């Protein structure tokens, strides 16, 4: 297993803010969840919830930028974009338990 490159907390936050801004440039209706460190050795894990009709477009843009960040800096951020209805469904299921 290759050792991950050290990334400063400031640099990591800058990349996370940039990824969130990609979504917010298309819609102000964005919710996020961040986990630092990420899963499986990643520097961070980012979940972005957006309106259903924009999920695919935002997902493509975020995925492209995640790859660029990794190639340019070695910063390994896992990011996934969900339809906001999935967040509401999960909340409803949690409340019903």
């Amino acid at each position: 297993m290759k050792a991950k490159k050290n990334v400063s907390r400031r640099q990591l936050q800058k990349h996370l803010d940039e990824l969130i801004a990609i979504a917010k440039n298309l819609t102000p209706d964005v919710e996020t969840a961040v986990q630092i460190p990420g899963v499986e050795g990643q520097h961070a894990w980012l979940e972005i919830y957006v309106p259903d009709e924009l999920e695919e477009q935002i997902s493509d843009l975020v995925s492209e930028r995640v790859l660029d960040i990794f190639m340019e800096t070695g910063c390994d951020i896992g990011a996934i974009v969900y339809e906001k209805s999935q967040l509401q469904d999960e909340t409803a299921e949690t409340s019903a338990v």
Side-chain angles (χ1 to χ4, degrees):
M1 181 177 188
K2 190 175 183 182
K4 74 178 179 181
K5 182 178 179 181
N6 287 333
V7 176
S8 73
R9 179 73 179 205
R10 178 185 290 164
Q11 191 67 20
L12 179 58
Q13 189 61 55
K14 178 182 164 227
H15 294 313
L16 291 167
D17 291 345
E18 178 184 355
L19 293 168
I20 294 166
I22 289 171
K24 288 187 175 185
N25 282 338
L26 295 175
T27 178
D29 189 14
V30 174
E31 291 186 43
T32 62
V34 177
Q35 180 181 332
I36 300 172
V39 295
E40 298 183 15
Q42 294 171 320
H43 292 99
W45 177 256
L46 173 63
E47 295 176 4
I48 303 173
Y49 296 87
V50 299
D52 294 8
E53 64 276 7
L54 294 173
E55 180 269 333
E56 189 174 334
Q57 180 183 7
I58 292 172
S59 181
D60 290 346
L61 292 169
V62 167
S63 296
E64 184 178 308
R65 186 60 190 135
V66 163
L67 180 59
D68 290 345
I69 289 169
F70 181 73
M71 298 301 288
E72 292 168 8
T73 68
C75 184
D76 188 5
I77 298 172
I80 190 163
V81 178
Y82 292 106
E83 295 175 341
K84 214 162 198 191
S85 63
Q86 289 180 299
L87 178 64
Q88 294 162 348
D89 291 345
E90 288 178 17
T91 303
E93 286 176 14
T94 303
S95 299
V97 173

